């Protein structure tokens, strides 16, 4: 799945994967996004806990930060059959 936020600071951003959820931490300089969150400070660390609908193999999951997005790749456990993740 993809998180659409511009200007994510890769030095202060990280995703931790667990079998049933993930914790997304990031900072951004995107003023429009910060205004939508009613936040004035660009050094705010966002921390979002995302629950998955199915279990994943955390060690095989990954993320990549691009200019306008954070792409998050989830790898299902071999016993999983559900296609919907979040």
């Amino acid at each position: 799945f993809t998180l659409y936020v511009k200007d994510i600071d890769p030095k202060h951003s990280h995703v931790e994967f667990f079998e049933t959820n993930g914790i997304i931490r990031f900072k951004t300089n995107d003023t429009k996004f910060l205004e939508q969150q009613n936040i004035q400070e660009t050094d705010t660390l966002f921390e979002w806990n995302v629950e998955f609908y199915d279990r994943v193999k955390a060690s095989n999951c990954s993320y990549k930060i691009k200019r306008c997005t954070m792409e998050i790749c989830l790898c299902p456990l071999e016993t999983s059959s559900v296609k919907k993740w979040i």
Side-chain angles (χ1 to χ4, degrees):
F1 68 94
T2 303
L3 173 66
Y4 292 92
V5 179
K6 294 180 182 177
D7 298 324
I8 293 175
D9 182 353
K11 293 179 184 175
H12 296 100
S13 302
H14 180 71
V15 181
E16 285 184 74
F17 296 100
F18 304 96
E19 192 171 290
T20 59
N21 70 307
I23 299 174
I24 303 170
R25 294 181 183 94
F26 67 95
K27 287 185 181 183
T28 180
N29 293 318
D30 181 2
T31 54
K32 187 174 181 179
F33 177 82
L34 294 170
E35 287 174 8
Q36 290 173 341
Q37 305 299 316
N38 292 321
I39 294 176
Q40 305 298 322
E41 302 295 323
T42 58
D43 66 341
T44 300
L45 178 65
F46 292 90
E47 182 173 300
W48 295 345
N49 184 10
V50 179
E51 298 289 327
F52 307 140
Y53 285 108
D54 206 356
R55 296 182 308 152
V56 300
K57 187 171 184 181
S59 61
N60 288 1
C61 296
S62 63
Y63 69 97
K64 182 187 297 186
I65 297 172
K66 295 189 172 186
R67 192 170 80 75
C68 296
T69 63
M70 178 186 286
E71 293 179 358
I72 299 170
C73 180
L74 302 176
C75 296
L77 286 177
E78 293 180 18
T79 59
S80 298
S81 61
V82 176
K83 302 286 184 197
K84 189 172 180 180
W85 290 100
I86 58 172

